Amino acid sequence: MSALLSSTPFSAIFAPFELTRFLLPAQSRLQLSSLTRYRSGFKSATSRSLNLRCCSTMPVQDQSESPSCSQDSLFYSRAFWVTKSIIAWNVGAGEGECYLYASRKAGLCVGDDGIQGHDVKIKLERTNYGLPQQVIEKFPHIRDYAAFEVPATLDFQSLVKCQLAVGIFNSYGKCASATGLQLPGILDDLFSYTGPLGGIFATEAVSLYLWAPTAQAVQALIYKSPSEADPVEIVQLKELDGVWSAKGPRHWEGCYYVYEVSVYHPSTLRIEKCVSNDPYARGLSADGKRTLLVNLDSDDVKPEGWDNLQDEKPNLLSFSDVSIYELHVRDFSANDPTVPHEFQGGYLAFTSQCVMGGATNDGRWLERNGDLDWYTDLMVYLRFVVRTHTHAQKRDSAGVQHLKRLSNAGITHVHLLPTYQFAGVEDEKHKWKYTDIEKLNSFPPDSEEQQALITAIQDEDGYNWGYNPVLWGVPKGSYASNANGPCRIVEFRKMVQALNRIGLRVVLDVVYNHLHASGPFSDFSVLDKIVPGYFLRRNADGGIENSTCVNNTASEHFMVERLILDDLKCWAVHYKIDGFRFDLMGHIMKRTMLKAKSFLNSLSTEENGVDGSSIYIYGEGWDFGEVAKNGRGINASQFNLFGAGIGSFNDRIRDALLGGSPFGHPLHQGFVTGLYSEPNGHDLGDKANVERMLTVSKDHIQVGMAANLKDFVLTNCDGQEVKGSEVLMHDRKPVGYASSPVETVNYVSAHDNETLFDIISLKTPKDISVEERCRMNHLATSVIALSQGIPFFHAGDEMLRSKSIDRDSYNSGDWFNRLDFSYNSNNWGVGLPPKEKNERNWPLIKPRLADPSYKPQKSHILAAVENFLNLMQIRYSSPLFRLKTANAIQERVRFHNTGPSWIPGLIVMSIEDGHQGIPGLSQLDPIYSYIVVIINPCPTDVSFANLALRAKSLQLHPVQMNSTDIIKNSTYDATSGCFNVPARTTSVFVESR
């Protein structure tokens, strides 16, 4: 409906005898109301109470009984308008006539005689055949609902802009039940759209496009700067088929705008005037108050050489060559004194040349309030960069030096935790609060004082992981030198450019599964203001699903999926991102992920300036919440992604190595933390049971080392030949689920849960030495580094990183999340971790933090870094560690020391290349023909002999022979085929050609 509607009463529009028609006069117009400025956080007492009643925690009635027709009924949306012609509702077969009601002004209410205040009442006909198959496929959670046919003669475009409800009557003519409607089905049916959205730049004009089919009116408020009070222009947008648009002059570029959308909102049961950013924003003012009209193709926002960056990217021949280092932007440099203070914790800390002295900074550009136009802001910024980098001594910061060492050793990708615009951290640094570092340092290592001081300001400091998205398509302003104007765009691009130039590709952590806020009032709500009830996944009562934490999104809806795909394209094309890690990927539909992979793969250097075939995607394939067991359609969970070529995190190898799970008892030991060989006192049953647990863990690890392939055949601990999918976890689910090595991301730690060193310190016996814990840290890392599949490492694991045993440091500030690239400290013992997530474990944590023998010295950290770099050099010394196909792994990878007569606690893996033992095996490695990896988690040296490994010309890998570690004491005797490996050591033996 392109015309604005008038405020003429519906009673004057509809003839009394035509109430089943909803036809609006083509020439009617809505009288424009005077501009009312939106005030952040304002709500009337009434709207607040309505919000509370409509939240996802609202009381749920027993769905086995038909709810009564009461005033509260309209606070629920239990009926679904699934297609243009069908409404689905969970009502009994014995109910009578059913009607659809609509009110343009949201005046519906429930009285004794049913629903009142409607402008139109439309009779619906119950069908006898239920919901069509295509509806069940899209909405499987309502497969058993009754289907009601909607008359085809209705003006659907006008109806969806109204408050809608359905009511059903019993045989006595009394209203038996009433409820609101959920509209995503009909919106997808009628308004799916593939045209332009957001701000579109042409030679002579700037156009705005907004998809908002339920809106009654939309206007854009144009501002010259991010802070001026009054708009310089108010533009009424016109609608065509659910898309609102306006065309403006080219000089709009560099201006800011917000949308004012008049729309019915189901959370308040009212027509609300929502003020919102553009969902397709590509620039923002500080804290996302307004959308910046910025052309990402403009040379003014590109660093020098940006358009040619594809030619400078490090080579990537195969996804099997990928290895990932997970890093938080602020962690990287917030505590690095070798980074200029104004760049600490931000994008520019990654630029390879950092000023070490002689720079001047009058600070004028940093103190700007953004009142000048963005181009002037940019010029001032560039002059600042030139001024601070001229006549100054420069060298790499400590963090950049460390990244270069990782890159030189073989790490290919840096995975950055969320960098889009998120809530929880103010963009403007002068608003941040700080804690006195000297005071924090003065407390004992097991004190409660540190966490008390940190948590007192945790929502007002500069730290948060960022898993609370507001706008997906704009870099976070707090990481930029100036959150207003285009600085965040320029500096983000500089970061990508710098990382690529030191040999590291960049992965973005994308969080499409949920949004930070919803409703018509929050400053952080965007999508739910534009099309309320569409972008967020709702439960059977109409409340928002919160299984991902809060405000789950619904990628099963067409325009949600489209927004995700468009956002990925923006990051890939305009920021030249090399990979995407999907947070809670299992809450996204498999269809969406396959489209994302296909679309990204189609990007070309010639047309898009990037090689999409080299973009790797992976994520968390956990299957839980409302999407579990394909509850909302086939989701992107681990088992469903078989054959998709999309990576998912392998929690099986993590839990087997460390013991238990992040949700189990913290003292539950695993393969590398002393299970069986060094019990910590936690009761796991008798000796036979513990030994059995060790053998099962070993099977899980071996499947993981073979890329967690579903069909990989190995001999299990019972001496049986089984496939990876036939090795089972405690809940009887298969261990192996992947079809190829690129579908498995092996890891032992990530930003979630305790760091690797911390969890080892928690699970191991108190009487072992810190040296032994350091070796366990290295042992766990070695398994990941030498496995088939994609190895993934949490930043700092290679430096024995500690967060003082904090299990969830998302908001624990710089203090608990510190990284020290000088290698002087691993951050152990900086106080009891924050109370909220850790208090129940304080009795376990406190004595460990208080014991000085737990704290590693600099020598331990340096040894850990050396050992990690050696591991990566070994991985990249032979393609045999990075086999590309499941068939190659099955042909070449063997596990020895298997079956009932095994040596407890020892994994022996061989990889063969063109050896005469397997006729016809092609040669992949020009240097080595055979590799043996022996993993000894025991506290003593272990000898292992195997007839199949006799008479080979095996030697310890040259990298390990040149190591300063005890690993150089590993030996092999060709006559007996016997290997000797030191305690808690992974040794690699190679046969040269």
Side-chain angles (χ1 to χ4, degrees):
M1 182 186 64
S2 58
L4 293 172
L5 302 176
S6 78
S7 57
T8 307
F10 277 82
S11 59
I13 295 177
F14 298 105
F17 303 106
E18 288 291 324
L19 289 180
T20 57
R21 298 293 181 93
F22 192 58
L23 302 173
L24 296 179
Q27 303 302 319
S28 59
R29 296 289 187 269
L30 175 66
Q31 296 176 353
L32 296 176
S33 61
S34 59
L35 174 65
T36 302
R37 184 166 300 118
Y38 174 74
R39 289 179 172 83
S40 172
F42 171 79
K43 297 184 189 179
S44 67
T46 301
S47 65
R48 280 197 298 269
S49 66
L50 292 177
N51 254 343
L52 289 174
R53 295 175 73 178
C54 280
C55 72
S56 62
T57 55
M58 70 174 95
V60 178
Q61 296 186 15
D62 184 357
Q63 292 299 297
S64 64
E65 300 178 3
S66 182
S68 62
C69 191
S70 66
Q71 182 62 43
D72 284 345
S73 298
L74 299 188
F75 287 105
Y76 299 92
S77 297
R78 290 173 169 143
F80 296 73
W81 201 340
V82 291
T83 70
K84 174 182 174 180
S85 59
I86 298 175
I87 288 176
W89 193 7
N90 191 22
V91 291
E95 306 289 0
E97 293 182 336
C98 183
Y99 293 89
L100 169 66
Y101 302 86
S103 171
R104 175 74 178 179
K105 295 183 178 180
L108 298 182
C109 60
V110 179
D112 294 338
D113 297 325
I115 297 178
Q116 309 296 324
H118 53 271
D119 302 306
V120 64
K121 178 180 178 182
I122 302 162
K123 187 175 181 181
L124 306 177
E125 297 295 334
R126 185 194 293 262
T127 70
N128 296 320
Y129 46 80
L131 296 174
Q133 185 59 36
Q134 70 270 21
V135 171
I136 293 174
E137 289 176 0
K138 183 163 185 173
F139 303 104
H141 59 300
I142 61 169
R143 63 173 62 245
D144 297 323
Y145 281 29
F148 294 86
E149 288 186 345
V150 181
T153 54
L154 301 181
D155 184 349
F156 298 100
Q157 294 201 15
S158 300
L159 269 176
V160 298
K161 299 179 185 300
C162 298
Q163 180 188 19
L164 298 170
V166 287
I168 196 163
F169 293 79
N170 60 26
S171 57
Y172 300 102
K174 294 293 185 180
C175 182
S177 184
T179 188
L181 274 77
Q182 298 187 34
L183 303 182
I186 186 174
L187 296 184
D188 281 355
D189 198 8
L190 295 180
F191 300 102
S192 295
Y193 172 72
T194 58
L197 288 171
I200 306 298
F201 294 84
T203 304
E204 301 293 333
V206 177
S207 298
L208 300 176
Y209 295 90
L210 179 71
W211 185 77
T214 62
Q216 295 184 0
V218 177
Q219 56 186 10
L221 283 57
I222 312 294
Y223 297 86
K224 186 66 176 176
S225 78
S227 59
E228 65 182 347
D230 297 316
V232 295
E233 194 171 352
I234 299 174
V235 181
Q236 309 298 327
L237 277 70
K238 296 181 179 180
E239 185 191 13
L240 179 63
D241 295 331
V243 178
W244 299 77
S245 64
K247 182 178 287 187
R250 196 63 170 79
H251 67 249
W252 273 5
E253 183 176 1
C255 291
Y256 297 83
Y257 68 103
V258 293
Y259 286 124
E260 188 176 80
V261 181
S262 295
V263 64
Y264 171 74
H265 208 290
S267 69
T268 63
L269 306 187
R270 291 159 58 152
I271 306 298
E272 300 290 357
K273 190 168 286 187
C274 299
V275 176
S276 172
N277 277 299
D278 191 329
Y280 277 72
R282 297 299 176 238
L284 289 170
S285 65
D287 295 317
K289 299 295 185 185
R290 294 168 183 171
T291 299
L292 171 66
L293 269 167
V294 58
N295 182 4
L296 296 182
D297 288 321
S298 171
D299 290 338
D300 292 331
V301 293
K302 295 178 181 178
E304 183 178 354
W306 178 252
D307 287 335
N308 299 317
L309 184 60
Q310 180 61 45
D311 299 330
E312 299 182 59
K313 285 185 179 289
N315 291 330
L316 184 67
L317 300 178
S318 166
F319 287 145
S320 292
D321 293 330
V322 169
S323 56
I324 301 168
Y325 186 77
E326 181 200 44
L327 182 62
H328 185 252
V329 170
R330 184 161 179 82
D331 287 352
F332 175 67
S333 60
N335 294 286
D336 189 345
T338 66
V339 173
H341 176 72
E342 59 270 22
F343 296 163
Q344 286 177 349
Y347 302 128
L348 289 181
F350 289 89
T351 56
S352 61
Q353 288 289 300
C354 293
V355 182
M356 304 309 298
T360 61
N361 173 20
D362 58 20
R364 283 178 293 181
W365 84 276
L366 286 173
E367 296 169 1
R368 296 170 51 76
N369 61 14
D371 286 337
L372 297 183
D373 64 274
W374 71 264
Y375 183 80
T376 305
D377 279 335
L378 176 62
M379 293 303 102
V380 173
Y381 161 70
L382 292 175
R383 285 197 296 272
F384 165 78
V385 173
V386 171
R387 183 170 64 249
T388 56
H389 283 69
T390 304
H391 309 302
Q393 182 183 358
K394 307 168 191 173
R395 68 177 177 85
D396 293 335
S397 68
V400 170
Q401 289 183 56
H402 186 77
L403 290 182
K404 284 186 173 181
R405 296 180 74 185
L406 295 177
S407 174
N408 291 337
I411 290 288
T412 63
H413 288 65
V414 167
H415 160 161
L416 298 176
L417 267 65
T419 55
Y420 49 69
Q421 185 67 16
F422 58 81
V425 175
E426 296 272 6
D427 281 347
E428 295 176 298
K429 299 174 178 61
H430 69 270
K431 297 178 180 179
W432 295 353
K433 291 186 178 179
Y434 298 87
T435 300
D436 188 328
I437 298 298
E438 290 187 9
K439 189 173 184 180
L440 290 170
N441 280 320
S442 70
F443 298 123
D446 61 337
S447 170
E448 296 182 30
E449 296 295 333
Q450 295 97 326
Q451 63 87 30
L453 292 173
I454 295 300
T455 55
I457 62 164
Q458 65 180 1
D459 296 326
E460 300 172 274
D461 64 359
Y463 196 91
N464 195 289
W465 278 349
Y467 291 97
N468 37 6
V470 177
L471 279 162
W472 291 322
V474 186
K476 174 61 176 169
S478 65
Y479 296 144
S481 301
N482 185 354
N484 289 310
C487 285
R488 64 175 80 192
I489 298 166
V490 177
E491 293 179 4
F492 190 100
R493 286 171 161 175
K494 282 180 172 287
M495 173 184 68
V496 173
Q497 193 176 48
L499 286 167
N500 284 177
R501 285 175 173 174
I502 63 175
L504 294 168
R505 289 174 171 258
V506 178
V507 172
L508 283 196
D509 200 323
V510 288
V511 184
Y512 296 127
N513 62 83
H514 69 261
L515 290 165
H516 179 68
S518 61
F521 304 114
S522 171
D523 285 345
F524 300 120
S525 176
V526 177
L527 296 178
D528 200 42
K529 291 178 178 178
I530 303 297
V531 191
Y534 177 82
F535 288 95
L536 302 180
R537 185 179 289 136
R538 301 163 76 186
N539 61 29
D541 286 325
I544 297 170
E545 294 282 7
N546 287 333
S547 58
T548 66
C549 184
V550 64
N551 298 313
N552 297 5
T553 53
S555 65
E556 59 269 27
H557 301 161
F558 182 90
M559 295 302 289
V560 181
E561 178 179 85
R562 184 195 160 171
L563 179 55
I564 292 171
L565 297 177
D566 288 345
D567 192 69
L568 291 169
K569 179 181 180 180
C570 176
W571 287 109
V573 172
H574 292 295
Y575 291 97
K576 303 188 187 299
I577 294 303
D578 305 293
F580 296 94
R581 177 266 191 190
F582 287 75
D583 184 61
L584 296 183
M585 181 174 63
H587 272 67
I588 299 172
M589 294 300 106
K590 177 182 178 180
R591 179 195 67 185
T592 305
M593 293 302 302
L594 292 177
K595 285 184 179 179
K597 183 176 184 294
S598 176
F599 174 74
L600 292 172
N601 186 67
S602 71
L603 300 175
S604 67
T605 305
E606 294 75 23
E607 292 188 18
N608 311 104
V610 295
D611 176 15
S613 66
S614 65
I615 296 175
Y616 180 61
I617 61 177
Y618 60 102
E620 295 177 301
W622 320 136
D623 191 43
F624 68 97
E626 76 282 0
V627 301
K629 299 179 181 178
N630 300 322
R632 294 301 180 98
I634 300 174
N635 64 326
S637 59
Q638 289 170 330
F639 295 108
N640 286 341
L641 288 176
F642 179 85
I646 295 170
S648 66
F649 285 97
N650 179 13
D651 51 333
R652 285 89 158 129
I653 198 169
R654 175 201 67 189
D655 293 347
L657 286 167
L658 300 179
S661 79
F663 312 104
H665 196 285
L667 296 185
H668 194 302
Q669 290 176 283
F671 186 82
V672 302
T673 55
L675 181 65
Y676 182 73
S677 61
E678 289 181 296
N680 61 10
H682 178 58
D683 185 12
L684 292 175
D686 59 23
K687 183 177 180 181
N689 186 64
V690 175
E691 183 174 7
R692 178 66 182 179
M693 291 175 63
L694 182 63
T695 64
V696 170
S697 295
K698 180 168 171 281
D699 283 350
H700 292 191
I701 294 166
Q702 289 175 158
V703 174
M705 294 186 73
N708 221 53
L709 297 174
K710 178 181 179 180
D711 295 324
F712 179 80
V713 178
L714 73 162
T715 302
N716 69 6
C717 57
D718 297 319
Q720 302 169 333
E721 278 203 352
V722 295
K723 293 181 179 180
S725 59
E726 295 170 333
V727 177
L728 303 179
M729 299 187 294
H730 65 89
D731 58 2
R732 310 304 294 171
K733 291 181 180 178
V735 170
Y737 59 78
S739 74
S740 74
V742 302
E743 292 178 6
T744 294
V745 178
N746 284 320
Y747 77 116
V748 283
S749 73
H751 64 275
D752 284 320
N753 310 311
E754 298 89 348
T755 67
L756 177 57
F757 182 82
D758 281 348
I759 205 162
I760 287 172
S761 298
L762 198 58
K763 290 178 180 289
T764 49
K766 293 181 180 179
D767 57 356
I768 70 170
S769 68
V770 68
E771 286 82 9
E772 291 171 296
R773 294 192 182 94
C774 293
R775 294 202 67 78
M776 290 178 177
N777 191 102
H778 177 57
L779 192 73
T781 304
S782 72
V783 175
I784 302 304
L786 301 178
S787 293
Q788 303 294 330
I790 309 300
F792 176 99
F793 307 100
H794 179 215
D797 280 352
E798 77 284 10
M799 301 185 295
L800 310 176
R801 181 184 188 175
S802 173
K803 296 179 182 178
S804 218
I805 321 187
D806 189 348
R807 67 173 285 107
D808 190 359
S809 68
Y810 81 101
N811 204 18
S812 299
D814 295 325
W815 180 256
F816 287 99
N817 286 284
R818 285 185 298 180
L819 279 172
D820 182 1
F821 292 111
S822 71
Y823 312 134
N824 286 313
S825 170
N826 77 329
N827 208 43
W828 172 267
V830 296
L832 285 168
K835 184 176 184 178
E836 179 188 4
K837 298 294 181 72
N838 300 279
E839 185 179 19
R840 70 174 185 175
N841 288 333
W842 275 2
L844 296 174
I845 295 171
K846 187 175 177 66
R848 288 165 170 80
L849 296 180
D851 187 342
S853 70
Y854 273 77
K855 184 176 179 64
Q857 303 303 308
K858 184 171 185 176
S859 58
H860 297 124
I861 298 170
L862 290 171
V865 172
E866 178 193 349
N867 285 336
F868 181 82
L869 296 175
N870 288 347
L871 280 173
M872 298 314 299
Q873 290 179 49
I874 291 171
R875 179 176 181 83
Y876 287 94
S877 70
S878 172
L880 299 180
F881 287 114
R882 310 184 310 280
L883 297 173
K884 298 177 182 179
T885 66
N887 188 54
I889 293 172
Q890 185 63 67
E891 287 181 331
R892 298 166 188 270
V893 175
R894 295 286 182 275
F895 290 98
H896 312 270
N897 188 41
T898 57
S901 60
W902 70 307
I903 298 174
L906 190 72
I907 291 177
V908 181
M909 177 181 72
S910 65
I911 316 174
E912 189 155 6
D913 185 53
H915 192 73
Q916 61 184 2
I918 304 181
L921 198 65
S922 60
Q923 179 180 313
L924 300 178
D925 190 339
I927 301 175
Y928 303 125
S929 62
Y930 203 86
I931 296 176
V932 177
V933 177
I934 302 184
I935 301 165
N936 175 21
C938 302
T940 58
D941 293 4
V942 168
S943 294
F944 172 76
N946 188 293
L947 293 177
L949 301 176
R950 287 177 56 187
K952 294 188 179 297
S953 301
L954 292 167
Q955 292 183 320
L956 192 63
H957 196 287
V959 170
Q960 294 186 331
M961 289 179 65
N962 294 323
S963 169
T964 60
D965 190 78
I966 61 169
I967 199 170
K968 62 172 50 180
N969 298 327
S970 305
T971 61
Y972 164 74
D973 179 65
T975 304
S976 61
C978 183
F979 299 84
N980 188 273
V981 177
R984 298 193 178 93
T985 295
T986 296
S987 300
V988 180
F989 296 87
V990 292
E991 182 179 67
S992 299
R993 292 197 180 278

